[in-house]
Amino acid sequence: MYLLILWLPLLGSILTGFLGRFLGHKGSSIISIICVFLSTLLSILAFYEVGLLGINHYITVSPWIEVGLLKISWSFLFDSITVTMLVVITLISSLVHLYSLEYMQNDPHLPRFMAFLEIFTFFMLVLVTSDNLVQMFVGWEGVGLASYLLINFWFTRLAANQSAIKALVVNRIGDFGLSLGILTTFYIFQSVDYLTIFSLIPLYTEYYLNFGGFYVSGLTLIGIFLFIGAVGKSAQLGLHTWLPDAMEGPTPVSALIHAATMVTAGVFLLIRFSPLIEFSSTVLNILIVFGSLTAFFAGMTGVFQNDLKRVIAYSTCSQLGYMVFSCGISCYNISMFHLANHAFFKALLFLSAGSVIHALANEQDMRRMGSLVKFLPLTYSLMLIGSLALVGFPFLTGFYSKDFILEVTQITLNNNLQNIQGAFACWLGNLSVFFTAFYSFRLIYLTFINSVNTTKKIVLTSHEPSLLMLVPLIILGLGSIFIGYLGKDLFIGLGTDFWKSAIFILPSNSYFIEAEWLSVNLKWLPFLLSSLGILLASFINTTKIHVYLYNTFYRNMCFLVNKKWYWDILYNRFFVYPLLNFGYLVSFKNLDRGFIELSGPYGLSRVVTTWSQLFSNIQTGQLSHYLFFIVLGVCLFLITIFNQIELIIFYSVLIFFI
Amino acid sequence: MLTFVNNTSTSILLFLISVLGIFLNQKNILVMLMSLEMMFLSISFNLIFASIYLDDITGQIFSLLILTVAAAESSIGLAILVIYYRIRNVITVELMHLMKG
C-alpha cells in the first residue's frame, strides 16, 4: 500500500505520457485522475496508520549503491512528517489534476500535461518518502526537471522558455549546495541514511573541520549547505527570482509547484533535518535572518505587483519565509503545520485566480479586471476565503498556523533571552502580516469589486467555470476553512505526540509553552496589523484617496517595488552578464579557442611550418655558406667530443640561438 | 731532428690555412681546388710524419694512397670545372646558387 502511493502516479505518468496518442484526451484524463485519486486515498490511509495510530513504516526495496562504506538502498521511510507531506501533495495534486481537466480542455497537448503533472507528483513523493539523502536528491532533481517541463509546457512561447530555464538554473545553484551538503554529510558521518545520521549527530557537536588552520563546525557546514539547497528550492531571498517568473506556466502548474509541492521541498528538507540544525545555532540564526527578510521583502513586493498570479507568487515567497524563520526559532512542527495549511489556501488562491483568468479570456493584469463579483460570485467567495485564510483572519486556517508563528517569535522580544535575531524576525514578520493583508485585499478589490476596466465583450462572456473546476475549488475552500482548526491539536497542540521522533527540538531552544502565556497585547498585534492592512486596502480602493497618493516619492517607491527592488536587474548586471561575458570572452575565446589551441593543434602546426621554412632557408645555394655550415658542424662536433659538454645543455643553447 | 710539436703544428697550420682558403674564397673555384689539394698534402704530411715517429710503414702506405686519390680527385674536379665553364662561361663561386633549399 505504501509503495503504491508512489508507483501509481509513476504508472499514470508512463501510461499517459507514452500512450497519450492512443488514449486521447478522455482516456488519459481518466487514467491520470484514477491514479492520483487512488494515491490520495492510500496516502490518507497512510496518514491514519502512521500519523494517528503511530506506526512508523520503513520499507527497503532493493540495494542501489554498495561501494565500501557507502551503502545506499532504495528504501522508504514513512513517519509523521512524510505522511503529512504525502497527504498534502497527493490531495493538492489530485485536485489540480481534476481542475486542469477543464482548464486545459482546449489544449492539444493535454495527455502530455497530465503526464508531466503526474511525474511531478511522483518525484515529489520520492523526495518526501526517501530515507537517505541520495534518494532524496533523486526526487529533488526530478522535481526541478518536472518544474522545467511544466513551466515550459507552452514551449512555443519565448517567455515560457526563458522562465523555465531560469527556474531550472537558479534551482541548480541550490542543488549544488545540497549536493555539497550530501558529500559533507558522507564525509563526516560515513553514511547518508537519515536514521544513522540523526542518531550520530549529538556525538558530533564538537566536530570541527580544519580548512588550513580555520576551524569550521561540521554540523554548521552541513546545515549551511542544506540551507543553500533550501534557498534555491524554497525561493528564499537571494535565489527567489525564479519563483515569480515561473508564473509563465499554466495556472494549475503554478498551483501545484508554488502552493503545495515544489517550493515546500526546501522547507521539508529543513524540517527533516531538525536533529542536525538544532545543534548549530549559527544555522538557526541564518534561517531566522533569511526567512524573515524573505517574508518582508516578498510581502512588500507583492503590494505593487499588477499581475494576478505574480501577487500570489510573491505571497507564496513571503509565506515560505515564515516557514523558514519558524524553523529558525526551532518550531519545526509549526512550520510543518503552516506548510500544510498554506498548501490549501494557496492552491485555492491560485486555482481561483485561474478561474478568473479563464473567465476573462486569459487576461492576467489586475488593472484590466474589476467588478467580477457580479459575474463570478462563487469564485469571488472562494477567493475571499483564500485571502482571509492567508491574512490570518481568526478561525480560518491561516490563523492557527501563521499567528502562532508570530506569537512564538514574540517570545523572543523578551529581554532575558537576548535573542536579537528572533526580535528581528518578529518585527519583520509582523510588518509582512500587514503587507500580506494589504495585497490580498488589493487583489480582491482590483479583481472583483472595483469598477470594471476591460472591454464589454470580455465581461459579458465571462462565466463561472463548470462543476469540474468548481469541485476542487470548493474542496480547497472547505480545507482553507477547517484544516487549521481540525489539525491544530494534532500538529501543534500542547504535548502532542504526533511527531514522535520525526522532529527533534533541543529543550533549551524550545519556547513552545511560553507562547501560551504571552501578554494579550502582543497576541493581538498580528490581528490588528492585518486588520489595518485590510482597512487600508479597502480605504484606498473604495474612496478616491489614492488620487492624493500620486506624488513623486510614492511613484518612485511604487516603481522600485514593482520592479521587484531591481533584484533581477542587479542580478543580470552583476552576475548573469558578467558570467556570460566571462564564458564567451575568457573561457571560450581566450582559453578554448585561444591559448589552448595556440599551444595545441593550431599553434604547433604553425611552429612546424615556420621552423621548417627557417631551416630550408639556411640552404641558400651558396657554396660558401654550405662550407661554413660544414666547418661549423665539424667544429661543434669536435668541441662536444673533446670537451664532453653535456649534450642537453649544448642543444638547448643551440635551439635558443636559432 | 724533427720534433713532434713542430711537424704536427706545421701540418695543422697548413690544413687550417687551406680551410681558410676554401672558406674565405668567394670568387674563384680554382683557388678552392688548390686549397683542397693543400689539405690533402697537409694530411699526407702528417701521416708520413706519424709513420716515422711511430716507426710504422702504414702511414706512408696511406699517404701514397691519398696521393693517388688526390690526383684522381683533382682530375675529376677539373673535368667538372671545365664542363661547368663550357656551359656557364664563368667560374665565380658566388654565382653558383641555382640549388636553393
Side-chain angles (χ1 to χ4, degrees):
Chain A
M1 179 190 103
Y2 285 90
L3 291 182
L4 212 55
I5 298 173
L6 274 89
W7 301 140
L8 274 172
L10 181 64
L11 179 77
S13 168
I14 289 170
L15 284 180
T16 49
F18 288 110
L19 303 177
R21 199 174 284 269
F22 306 105
L23 295 169
H25 277 208
K26 279 226 172 92
S28 50
S29 3
I30 289 169
I31 282 180
S32 56
I33 291 285
I34 287 175
C35 285
V36 184
F37 264 87
L38 278 179
S39 175
T40 311
L41 286 180
L42 290 176
S43 57
I44 289 170
L45 268 179
F47 183 79
Y48 173 70
E49 220 173 272
V50 176
L52 301 183
L53 300 186
I55 310 160
N56 279 7
H57 282 267
Y58 185 85
I59 301 165
T60 304
V61 176
S62 74
W64 180 16
I65 301 169
E66 284 189 8
V67 186
L69 280 171
L70 181 69
K71 284 191 172 54
I72 303 170
S73 56
W74 289 103
S75 45
F76 300 92
L77 172 68
F78 290 87
D79 60 359
S80 321
I81 306 176
T82 304
V83 289
T84 314
M85 288 297 287
L86 276 186
V87 170
V88 169
I89 293 161
T90 51
L91 191 59
I92 303 294
S93 164
S94 52
L95 293 178
V96 165
H97 273 76
L98 201 59
Y99 179 91
S100 39
L101 285 191
E102 195 196 330
Y103 191 84
M104 304 293 285
Q105 67 180 350
N106 293 326
D107 198 283
H109 299 290
L110 184 76
R112 182 163 65 93
F113 187 69
M114 287 297 169
F116 286 167
L117 281 185
E118 273 165 311
I119 201 76
F120 189 90
T121 315
F122 168 71
F123 276 125
M124 195 65 203
L125 294 176
V126 169
L127 198 160
V128 295
T129 54
S130 75
D131 88 312
N132 60 58
L133 272 165
V134 177
Q135 193 183 331
M136 201 260 325
F137 198 63
V138 171
W140 190 273
E141 292 294 313
V143 167
L145 169 74
S147 78
Y148 172 78
L149 294 173
L150 280 173
I151 296 166
N152 204 4
F153 178 69
W154 289 317
F155 52 81
T156 48
R157 293 178 58 202
L158 180 63
N161 283 306
Q162 284 169 337
S163 43
I165 288 170
K166 188 176 184 181
L168 198 68
V169 171
V170 175
N171 264 303
R172 196 64 65 247
I173 298 169
D175 296 346
F176 181 63
L178 179 63
S179 54
L180 284 181
I182 295 173
L183 297 177
T184 319
T185 312
F186 182 69
Y187 177 73
I188 292 175
F189 296 107
Q190 307 290 322
S191 167
V192 288
D193 281 358
Y194 288 155
L195 303 180
T196 319
I197 299 169
F198 294 162
S199 47
L200 283 176
I201 279 166
L203 306 174
Y204 279 82
T205 47
E206 295 300 317
Y207 185 89
Y208 289 96
L209 290 165
N210 187 351
F211 289 106
F214 188 70
Y215 287 92
V216 181
S217 160
L219 296 184
T220 305
L221 197 66
I222 295 177
I224 288 172
F225 282 145
L226 294 180
F227 175 64
I228 292 172
V231 165
K233 206 55 113 188
S234 283
Q236 297 300 298
L237 197 66
L239 297 179
H240 66 280
T241 49
W242 69 273
L243 186 66
D245 280 9
M247 292 297 121
E248 291 298 333
T251 313
V253 170
S254 312
L256 195 59
I257 296 182
H258 312 297
T261 47
M262 185 162 161
V263 291
T264 57
V267 181
F268 167 78
L269 181 73
L270 297 178
I271 296 170
R272 174 60 89 194
F273 271 80
S274 60
L276 191 146
I277 295 171
E278 273 303 285
F279 284 99
S280 170
S281 57
T282 318
V283 178
L284 286 176
N285 288 339
I286 290 173
L287 291 191
I288 294 176
V289 170
F290 269 85
S292 48
L293 279 176
T294 310
F296 178 73
F297 161 78
M300 189 152 179
T301 311
V303 170
F304 289 110
Q305 294 300 312
N306 291 319
D307 188 307
L308 185 58
K309 281 167 79 180
R310 222 157 258 226
V311 174
I312 307 173
Y314 273 107
S315 153
T316 305
C317 203
S318 165
Q319 299 302 311
L320 287 165
Y322 277 95
M323 292 175 212
V324 167
F325 78 70
S326 149
C327 287
I329 51 174
S330 301
C331 299
Y332 302 95
N333 45 358
I334 311 175
S335 175
M336 193 71 199
F337 187 45
H338 191 50
L339 195 159
N341 293 346
H342 171 257
F344 281 95
F345 55 74
K346 195 48 62 73
L348 175 64
L349 280 174
F350 265 120
L351 294 184
S352 312
S355 167
V356 171
I357 293 165
H358 200 53
L360 286 181
N362 295 326
E363 176 59 59
Q364 290 199 14
D365 198 328
M366 288 199 297
R367 290 167 298 188
R368 302 179 63 186
M369 296 178 180
S371 75
L372 287 176
V373 64
K374 302 272 196 319
F375 305 97
L376 308 170
L378 205 54
T379 308
Y380 166 70
S381 37
L382 287 165
M383 194 81 144
L384 194 63
I385 291 171
S387 296
L388 284 173
L390 176 67
V391 302
F393 194 77
F395 316 121
L396 289 179
T397 297
F399 174 70
Y400 290 98
S401 53
K402 201 172 95 169
D403 277 22
F404 197 59
I405 290 177
L406 291 169
E407 274 180 27
V408 178
T409 57
Q410 276 155 359
I411 301 162
T412 56
L413 290 180
N414 195 322
N415 287 330
N416 297 334
L417 287 176
Q418 300 286 334
N419 192 338
I420 297 166
Q421 296 86 8
F424 183 67
C426 173
W427 286 113
L428 286 188
N430 277 317
L431 276 177
S432 44
V433 161
F434 170 75
F435 290 126
T436 307
F438 187 85
Y439 64 67
S440 297
F441 276 81
R442 178 170 173 270
L443 186 148
I444 293 276
Y445 275 102
L446 281 179
T447 314
F448 290 105
I449 297 173
N450 281 1
S451 52
V452 72
N453 268 331
T454 184
T455 52
K456 187 179 174 187
K457 184 165 165 269
I458 291 177
V459 173
L460 287 181
T461 51
S462 68
H463 56 282
E464 285 283 0
S466 73
L467 213 58
L468 208 56
M469 259 162 94
L470 279 178
V471 167
L473 284 178
I474 290 166
I475 294 173
L476 286 172
L478 292 175
S480 305
I481 298 174
F482 293 115
I483 287 288
Y485 173 68
L486 293 176
K488 181 184 183 296
D489 280 336
L490 187 64
F491 287 98
I492 56 169
L494 269 182
T496 173
D497 65 343
F498 175 72
W499 300 109
K500 297 188 192 64
S501 57
I503 282 175
F504 175 79
I505 300 174
L506 268 187
S508 60
N509 285 348
S510 173
Y511 304 124
F512 203 65
I513 300 170
E514 282 84 342
E516 304 288 327
W517 281 281
L518 266 177
S519 88
V520 177
N521 294 336
L522 279 177
K523 285 199 181 202
W524 275 93
L525 185 65
F527 175 68
L528 285 177
L529 280 170
S530 57
S531 312
L532 191 66
I534 295 173
L535 285 177
L536 192 65
S538 315
F539 189 59
I540 288 177
N541 279 298
T542 49
T543 62
K544 294 289 172 199
I545 189 80
H546 57 271
V547 176
Y548 302 105
L549 280 176
Y550 288 110
N551 52 44
T552 320
F553 173 74
Y554 174 79
R555 240 184 297 134
N556 290 343
M557 181 76 191
C558 183
F559 194 72
L560 172 73
V561 178
N562 184 263
K563 295 291 167 200
K564 305 149 206 167
W565 300 65
Y566 294 110
W567 270 96
D568 285 270
I569 293 164
L570 290 177
Y571 265 4
N572 281 342
R573 184 146 315 155
F574 290 111
F575 292 103
V576 179
Y577 289 133
L579 277 176
L580 277 175
N581 278 333
F582 180 83
Y584 180 67
L585 292 176
V586 177
S587 54
F588 178 67
K589 272 180 89 172
N590 281 341
L591 277 179
D592 259 13
R593 297 294 312 280
F595 179 71
I596 292 171
E597 273 209 354
L598 267 184
S599 64
Y602 180 67
L604 213 60
S605 60
R606 275 272 295 269
V607 164
V608 168
T609 49
T610 48
W611 279 42
S612 58
Q613 203 79 55
L614 199 75
F615 279 114
S616 75
N617 278 343
I618 288 172
Q619 328 250 306
T620 50
Q622 292 284 359
L623 208 56
S624 53
H625 292 171
Y626 291 155
L627 276 170
F628 169 73
F629 280 111
I630 291 168
V631 173
L632 185 75
V634 169
C635 290
L636 290 174
F637 178 72
L638 292 177
I639 287 167
T640 46
I641 291 295
F642 290 112
N643 294 342
Q644 288 164 352
I645 293 172
E646 277 152 46
L647 283 178
I648 294 172
I649 299 172
F650 170 68
Y651 281 123
S652 56
V653 170
L654 197 69
I655 284 171
F656 176 77
F657 278 110
I658 285 173
Chain B
M1 188 65 196
L2 297 168
T3 56
F4 173 71
V5 177
N6 279 339
N7 286 288
T8 314
S9 50
T10 310
S11 73
I12 287 175
L13 202 65
L14 200 61
F15 187 79
L16 286 178
I17 287 167
S18 53
V19 165
L20 281 176
I22 292 178
F23 204 68
L24 298 177
N25 171 43
Q26 298 281 324
K27 295 284 180 193
N28 202 340
I29 200 160
L30 275 173
V31 177
M32 286 176 82
L33 280 175
M34 286 192 279
S35 301
L36 211 61
E37 288 300 315
M38 249 168 84
M39 283 166 86
F40 280 116
L41 285 176
S42 70
I43 285 167
S44 305
F45 181 69
N46 199 10
L47 278 171
I48 290 166
F49 168 71
S51 84
I52 290 168
Y53 185 77
L54 298 171
D55 197 13
D56 190 357
I57 199 72
T58 321
Q60 293 172 33
I61 293 171
F62 258 102
S63 77
L64 273 174
L65 288 174
I66 286 172
L67 281 177
T68 324
V69 168
E73 184 255 25
S74 58
S75 62
I76 291 170
L78 280 172
I80 291 172
L81 185 65
V82 166
I83 292 167
Y84 184 80
Y85 181 73
R86 198 179 290 158
I87 294 170
R88 292 288 301 271
N89 221 11
V90 70
I91 49 166
T92 314
V93 179
E94 275 176 318
L95 301 177
M96 296 180 180
H97 51 64
L98 288 176
M99 299 276 279
K100 271 187 187 168

